[in-house]
Amino acid sequence: MLGVKIDNNMVYTSYTINGTISESGVTGTVIGISSATDLQNLANLVNSGQTMSGKTFVLTSDIDLSELSNFEGIGTSSNAFSGTFDGQGHTISNLYINKTLTSTGTSAYYGLFNQASNATVKNLTLKDAHIEVFNEFGTGNTVRIGGIIGHGWENSVENITIDNIAIITNSSSNSAVGGVCGTAFSGDTIRNCKTSGTITGTQAGGIVGWVYTGAARETVIKECQNSATIKG
């Protein structure tokens, strides 16, 4: 790290990039992300079990995901992202996720990060995202959807703009849908986030869909604004 940079009145950490990302893995501890392919590689690596704990991923340019027809998302119900993702004020646009649940008894988490634990995601705009999850049974599955994180715990999510998101699910039981995070489960801090768009679900919120209140560590949500339309 070399200090800070100032852009649009926001102060961001300056990093020295010392690593790379590819289909086969990552090198170094500070890795630049500059393309849809880089994000897809990150998703594939985390989804295969590499948590990325101790790694920092730095967005070095705006990224348009329209070339990816149906993004898998970073993390799975069994493999959580545990690194740092710093958007540096850049924008990820046209995230598109469309999934159909064809069996019951499953945990289905969806977002830019499907699941994250002990992670930091900050300084990012997510623009024109569309996440749609159809549950053939309506009930019987655990569904968590968020623009940034579907499901997670002990995460820090800061300085996030969700611009014109559309989240849609028909899942009517044990579901949580939020513009920024589907759930805030334990020890999460969500700060300086704002949301616009339309969010549809039986348990839905502009910032967070569901805050778990029985955890040992409290969740903190502050300095956030929602202008998204919420539909139940």
Side-chain angles (χ1 to χ4, degrees), residues 1-12:
M1 299 182 182
L2 297 179
V4 298
K5 72 172 187 178
I6 301 175
D7 184 24
N8 295 327
N9 297 319
M10 291 293 292
V11 179
Y12 305 119

Side-chain angles (χ1 to χ4, degrees), residues 166-225:
I167 300 179
I168 306 165
T169 183
N170 72 322
S171 191
S172 59
S173 175
N174 202 15
S175 66
V177 182
V180 178
C181 298
T183 60
F185 192 74
S186 173
D188 287 323
T189 297
I190 301 169
R191 183 179 69 84
N192 194 28
C193 299
K194 56 185 179 181
T195 307
S196 68
T198 304
I199 300 166
T200 303
T202 55
Q203 185 164 270
I207 304 298
V208 178
W210 175 56
V211 178
Y212 180 63
T213 58
R217 295 186 59 195
E218 69 176 0
T219 291
V220 176
I221 303 172
K222 61 181 180 180
E223 300 166 13
C224 294
Q225 303 174 40

Side-chain angles (χ1 to χ4, degrees), residues 22-43:
S22 66
E23 292 181 354
S24 57
V26 297
T27 64
T29 57
V30 181
I31 299 98
I33 299 290
S34 62
S35 67
T37 298
D38 288 344
L39 277 178
Q40 187 63 71
N41 285 336
L42 178 59

Side-chain angles (χ1 to χ4, degrees), residues 85-164:
F85 190 94
D86 190 339
Q88 293 279 286
H90 291 295
T91 297
I92 295 176
S93 59
N94 298 309
L95 169 70
Y96 181 79
I97 298 172
N98 192 329
K99 302 295 182 182
T100 299
L101 307 181
T102 59
S103 61
T104 60
T106 61
S107 295
Y109 308 148
Y110 297 107
L112 178 64
F113 295 87
N114 295 329
Q115 182 169 224
S117 169
N118 294 288
T120 296
V121 184
K122 59 184 179 180
N123 306 325
L124 178 65
T125 294
L126 185 67
K127 181 177 175 61
D128 296 333
H130 182 102
I131 305 174
E132 186 167 351
V133 179
F134 179 74
N135 186 351
E136 286 190 348
F137 299 90
T139 62
N141 292 298
T142 300
V143 177
R144 308 283 187 255
I145 307 170
I148 299 298
I149 297 174
H151 178 67
W153 60 97
E154 298 188 0
N155 296 307
S156 174
V157 181
E158 300 186 2
N159 303 329
I160 300 295
T161 297
I162 306 295
D163 184 1
N164 191 37

Side-chain angles (χ1 to χ4, degrees), residues 58-109:
V58 180
L59 214 58
T60 59
S61 63
D62 295 342
I63 295 178
D64 185 348
L65 292 181
S66 58
E67 66 184 74
L68 302 179
S69 59
N70 197 351
F71 187 57
E72 286 300 319
I74 300 166
T76 67
S77 60
S78 55
N79 297 311
F81 174 78
S82 297
T84 294
F85 190 94
D86 190 339
Q88 293 279 286
H90 291 295
T91 297
I92 295 176
S93 59
N94 298 309
L95 169 70
Y96 181 79
I97 298 172
N98 192 329
K99 302 295 182 182
T100 299
L101 307 181
T102 59
S103 61
T104 60
T106 61
S107 295
Y109 308 148

